[in-house]
């Protein structure tokens, strides 16, 4: 994952908005499937990203984010399957380390 705009925005008032936008745009690369608790499949709906904390040193920006996303409990797809396919809200927290020069990011789950 690359977050070059977030790296460039560090230290500005726009950092949170830029990070949220880049993460939402690259949601397919986030480990959301592993974070599911009450459903079985992540939907294609864009996630909501919350910046919980951020700090940096000379080499790396570290951000803790909360991600609200949707999942569904997929049934057997039988004609008489009574399971409704209603999206349910899921939540996880991720730690993101962004290289300040390259913008390369490493994501880990809490």
């Amino acid at each position: 994952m690359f977050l070059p705009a977030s790296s460039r925005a560090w230290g500005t008032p726009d950092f949170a908005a830029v990070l949220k936008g880049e993460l939402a745009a690259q949601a397919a690369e986030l480990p959301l499937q592993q974070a599911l608790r009450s459903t079985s499949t992540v939907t294609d709906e864009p996630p909501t990203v919350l910046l919980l904390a951020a700090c940096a040193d000379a080499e790396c920006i570290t951000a803790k984010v909360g991600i609200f996303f949707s999942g569904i409990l997929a049934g057997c797809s039988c004609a008489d399957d009574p399971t409704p396919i209603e999206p349910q809200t899921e939540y996880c927290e991720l730690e993101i380390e962004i290289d300040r020069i390259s913008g390369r990011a490493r994501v880990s789950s809490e």
Side-chain angles (χ1 to χ4, degrees), residues 41-90:
T41 304
V42 176
T43 67
D44 291 334
E45 295 178 28
T48 300
V49 180
L50 302 173
L51 178 61
L52 303 176
C55 61
D57 59 26
E59 298 171 3
C60 181
I61 301 164
T62 303
K64 182 176 180 179
V65 297
I67 310 281
F68 287 97
F69 62 101
S70 295
I72 58 170
L73 185 60
C76 71
S77 300
C78 300
D80 60 347
D81 183 7
T83 307
I85 301 180
E86 296 290 325
Q88 296 180 22
T89 302
E90 296 269 5

Side-chain angles (χ1 to χ4, degrees), residues 1-109:
M1 173 175 273
F2 283 95
L3 304 172
S6 297
S7 179
R8 288 190 301 274
W10 176 251
T12 72
D14 296 330
F15 175 73
V18 172
L19 179 64
K20 291 175 188 180
E22 279 194 310
L23 289 174
Q26 298 181 50
E29 294 185 49
L30 297 173
L32 300 181
Q33 186 69 34
Q34 295 87 334
L36 292 171
R37 297 290 177 253
S38 60
T39 59
S40 60
T41 304
V42 176
T43 67
D44 291 334
E45 295 178 28
T48 300
V49 180
L50 302 173
L51 178 61
L52 303 176
C55 61
D57 59 26
E59 298 171 3
C60 181
I61 301 164
T62 303
K64 182 176 180 179
V65 297
I67 310 281
F68 287 97
F69 62 101
S70 295
I72 58 170
L73 185 60
C76 71
S77 300
C78 300
D80 60 347
D81 183 7
T83 307
I85 301 180
E86 296 290 325
Q88 296 180 22
T89 302
E90 296 269 5
Y91 176 79
C92 69
E93 292 183 359
L94 303 174
E95 183 173 285
I96 301 165
E97 294 181 1
I98 307 167
D99 182 278
R100 292 185 72 169
I101 295 171
S102 71
R104 180 177 289 281
R106 186 176 64 81
V107 180
S108 58
S109 53

